[in-house]
Amino acid sequence: MAAPSLLNWRRVSSFTGPVPRARHGHRAVAIRELMIIFGGGNEGIADELHVYNTATNQWFLPAVRGDIPPGCAAHGFVCDGTRILVFGGMVEYGRYSNELYELQASRWLWKKVKPHPPPSGLPPCPRLGHSFSLYGNKCYLFGGLANESEDSNNNVPRYLNDFYELELQHGSGVVGWSIPVTKGVVPSPRESHTAVIYCKKDSGSPKMYVFGGMCGARLDDLWQLDLETMSWSKPETKGTVPLPRSLHTASVIGNKMYIFGGWVPHKGENTETSPHDCEWRCTSSFSYLNLDTTEWTTLVSDSQEDKKNSRPRPRAGHCAVAIGTRLYFWSGRDGYKKALNSQVCCKDLWYLDTEKPPAPSQVQLIKATTSSFHVKWDEVSTVEGYLLQLSTDLPYQAASSDSSAAPNMQGVRMDPHRQGSNNIVPNSINDTINSTKTEQPATKETSMKNKPDFKALTDSNAILYPSLASNASNHNSHVVDMLRKNEGPHTSADVGVLSSCLDVRTVIPETSVSSTVSSTQTMVTQQSIKTESSSTNGAVVKDETSLTTFSTKSEVDETYALPATKISRVETHATAMPFSKETPSNPVATMKAGERQWCDVGIFKNNTALVSQFYLLPKGKQSISKVGNADVPDYSLLKKQDLVPGTGYRFRVAAINGCGIGPFSKISEFKTCIPGFPGAPSAVRISKNVEGIHLSWEPPTSPSGNILEYSAYLAIRTAQIQDNPSQLVFMRIYCGLKTSCTVTAGQLANAHIDYTSRPAIVFRISAKNEKGYGPATQVRWLQGNNKKAPLN
């Protein structure tokens, strides 16, 4: 974490949509990039549900329906997937609730749920200021404030320290309450405290941490409950404990619990001698507790003044939400207007990046031409931009200090032996291709979990700092038209997993393999298709491959639906071939003898880029400027260099947030096309028929002359492939002018099932013109997780 003086707070000043009125006592949760806010009070209790999209900076009011709950404040609010639960809270002055509501956010549908009472004992009484925490399929309720008086106008407060467990049903609904039997000393009664649940990676025992709160006086004690043994303890801590407080927030990111704001004692007051008599005020202090070492670290002390309004002003009763490694804070109260006897609420929205962003996925190729690459990479949440760099084996040409143009590198070729170590190389002549003779080792594909953001090709992806935006605009119309031709009317949908699909990549033979492919170029294109299944009358497009830099399933869950059709059709994209070496973490490398020189392409707002030039660093100079806390070159001082036809380039990308530039992705390698060869076949489609399957495609968008024939290949089972699954062996199943062919059930019976990611049958399709074969489109027909015959 950055030192306190380097915390880079950001105030969100530009947003659209209906902004909710300022308030306190509200609650918020996150569903992916959405911050969902409910309840709170300020001149009455709010009953609306507000949503803020952190990716688009847009507020909106969803049209909720069903059993809409009354407005409430200081309630319990937790999120389980896309289901939100609301428990208790103050519904009007002096009247508290113990009702439970469920919101299905995928449909904005409210439902009042009635859990079974505990087998022994009473259900929770009406309360406010309690903690309500989720872990697994259970919610844990602790403490709060009850009203002993039946008359809501006669408030008789009673602080609580009771503990309940609420078991949830999968997806929707609840089972009931229970009262666990706990061991050890129970924390003292309190309200307006915080409780979070954390589980160490190397330990299977989740623990709940309760901090602070109010019981007539503010508290600064920390309690731990082991949820497996149900044992309470008071852990020993190191570092400076935050001041006693209530109405603060606690958020867990990684292994840290971040504490912000709340009511604290006035400076100079001794809360130990006169806790009930001292005065209290709001704070903007900010600390975290390392939950592995139980050590406190102060990031913003209570004594630090902020004269430049560079961070949130003091507040209590606000909300805090963690989205990725970014913390968002909204509203809350900062004191009273004594003359008016009314509360002053903040209207501002802030965020803070708590650490540098993770490495993005490898750069993926959408399209290559003789002088440009259209590339993309998977989005990283809550970042402000991406630094894209490239490297080549061409002799490095440092920019001179004068104003002369960069040297012309046209016609210079890279060493094919160095470039080919990660290429997948199909043969274009023999009917049966033994990959041990003609192929380089195949590698894992990188994931394409998100549908490519083609809008980023327009001015919306203008580079954030002086760079190559003008070059991209020259090609926008051609590239967008090409992609739109293959793009279906995709809409997000919650759909079932179908039994079969395609995952398509384009492969171009290496120049050094044999004379039959010596004049082709290297590129990889990938496409994902789910075909028609007996369980549906539609088709689904989903990215199926595993990430190389992330391993959790949640990274590849996004699904798109196509209209009902017998033939599924999607746009063709490209993925990079993984490079085994780890990349250095410094964003700008200085050139040394034998060291690879990385040059900046630019800093981009979105996750796509059209690359036709890159920047050359001047000899012996780096001309560093600042982007937040990140060092990047001053591009206005650098010379540009054009890409060269038939040349290999390595790419890497790093994300940027308020903490600086994160680590670089693994390296991808692509080659610009050689003039005259056809492009890859596109828009691959597949459907089942009585004979087997029907495979079809569209001609290359850049045929470079007349197409003389197409060839389609099928990866087949052999003894060699069982010994080395990465060495695929292909058999040609079609050669002709038609843009479709039938793959018979007999041919499919001999197919190799590739398990490098999802189980799949692998095809390749390529086009030939007068000059030879161009890039081949590799098709992975996904088979599900069983080992049954392909057409079952």
Side-chain angles (χ1 to χ4, degrees), residues 63-300:
V64 296
R65 55 197 175 91
D67 305 324
I68 299 174
C72 56
H75 47 287
F77 201 54
V78 297
C79 180
D80 174 28
T82 58
R83 164 174 59 172
I84 296 173
L85 293 171
V86 180
F87 174 75
M90 181 172 70
V91 292
E92 62 182 48
Y93 179 79
R95 187 166 75 86
Y96 309 152
S97 167
N98 63 349
E99 294 180 335
L100 181 67
Y101 288 85
E102 175 187 275
L103 173 68
Q104 290 290 343
S106 59
R107 294 173 287 163
W108 302 119
L109 178 64
W110 283 105
K111 182 174 68 173
K112 187 175 182 179
V113 291
K114 296 182 179 180
H116 295 296
S120 60
L122 298 173
C125 65
R127 66 189 65 200
L128 62 72
H130 47 283
S131 60
F132 196 52
S133 309
L134 173 76
Y135 188 82
N137 69 330
K138 293 179 180 177
C139 289
Y140 298 92
L141 170 67
F142 176 73
L145 180 71
N147 186 0
E148 288 288 88
S149 173
E150 295 183 0
D151 181 4
S152 61
N153 293 319
N154 183 25
N155 195 8
V156 180
R158 177 168 65 96
Y159 295 98
L160 306 170
N161 67 345
D162 49 357
F163 180 62
Y164 286 86
E165 184 179 88
L166 176 65
E167 183 177 354
L168 310 181
Q169 292 178 346
H170 178 71
S172 179
V174 297
V175 178
W177 295 105
S178 62
I179 305 175
V181 177
T182 61
K183 307 169 188 175
V185 178
V186 178
S188 60
R190 66 193 64 207
E191 59 101 1
S192 297
H193 56 282
T194 56
V196 302
I197 298 177
Y198 170 72
C199 184
K200 286 185 180 180
K201 291 183 179 179
D202 58 353
S203 170
S205 178
K207 295 177 176 60
M208 184 171 79
Y209 294 86
V210 175
F211 176 72
M214 172 75 173
C215 61
R218 270 74 182 181
L219 303 169
D220 64 354
D221 50 350
L222 177 72
W223 294 84
Q224 174 184 286
L225 175 66
D226 189 309
L227 294 179
E228 286 192 354
T229 64
M230 286 296 166
S231 300
W232 285 103
S233 61
K234 204 170 181 180
E236 293 287 333
T237 63
K238 295 171 282 187
T240 303
V241 178
L243 289 174
R245 67 191 61 213
S246 63
L247 293 171
H248 55 285
T249 54
S251 309
V252 174
I253 296 178
N255 64 346
K256 298 178 178 66
M257 177 178 73
Y258 292 91
I259 302 293
F260 176 74
W263 285 103
V264 297
H266 258 297
K267 296 175 184 176
E269 293 286 353
N270 188 338
T271 60
E272 295 181 359
T273 57
S274 57
H276 293 273
D277 299 327
C278 68
E279 295 184 22
W280 303 88
R281 61 184 175 82
C282 291
T283 182
S284 60
S285 59
F286 187 43
S287 303
Y288 72 77
L289 175 70
N290 185 314
L291 296 171
D292 291 336
T293 64
T294 62
E295 180 175 3
W296 287 103
T297 299
T298 301
L299 298 172
V300 177

Side-chain angles (χ1 to χ4, degrees), residues 625-765:
S625 62
K626 288 276 187 178
V627 178
N629 291 330
D631 290 333
V632 297
D634 181 353
Y635 291 123
S636 65
L637 302 178
L638 302 182
K639 303 299 180 183
K640 300 176 185 179
Q641 173 64 59
D642 293 333
L643 300 190
V644 178
T647 303
Y649 295 91
R650 297 176 181 91
F651 284 88
R652 66 181 188 179
V653 65
I656 303 171
N657 67 10
C659 290
I661 299 176
F664 279 94
S665 65
K666 292 184 178 180
I667 296 172
S668 305
E669 189 168 352
F670 312 118
K671 195 173 185 180
T672 49
C673 296
I674 300 174
F677 288 87
S682 60
V684 178
R685 293 162 287 175
I686 192 168
S687 60
K688 296 178 183 178
N689 58 25
V690 293
E691 298 178 67
I693 64 169
H694 184 255
L695 191 65
S696 62
W697 55 91
E698 288 191 1
T701 55
S702 302
S704 299
N706 295 324
I707 298 298
L708 302 180
E709 65 183 27
Y710 296 94
S711 285
Y713 302 90
L714 170 67
I716 59 172
R717 291 194 304 271
T718 66
Q720 291 164 312
I721 205 170
Q722 291 176 354
D723 296 335
N724 188 355
S726 65
Q727 295 284 346
L728 298 181
V729 177
F730 285 85
M731 176 179 70
R732 183 152 59 181
I733 54 174
Y734 172 76
C735 181
L737 269 171
K738 290 184 177 180
T739 57
S740 65
C741 68
T742 295
V743 186
T744 66
Q747 290 171 324
L748 290 172
N750 295 318
H752 164 67
I753 305 296
D754 177 31
Y755 286 93
T756 54
S757 55
R758 289 282 300 274
I761 294 174
V762 182
F763 300 94
R764 285 176 181 169
I765 308 164

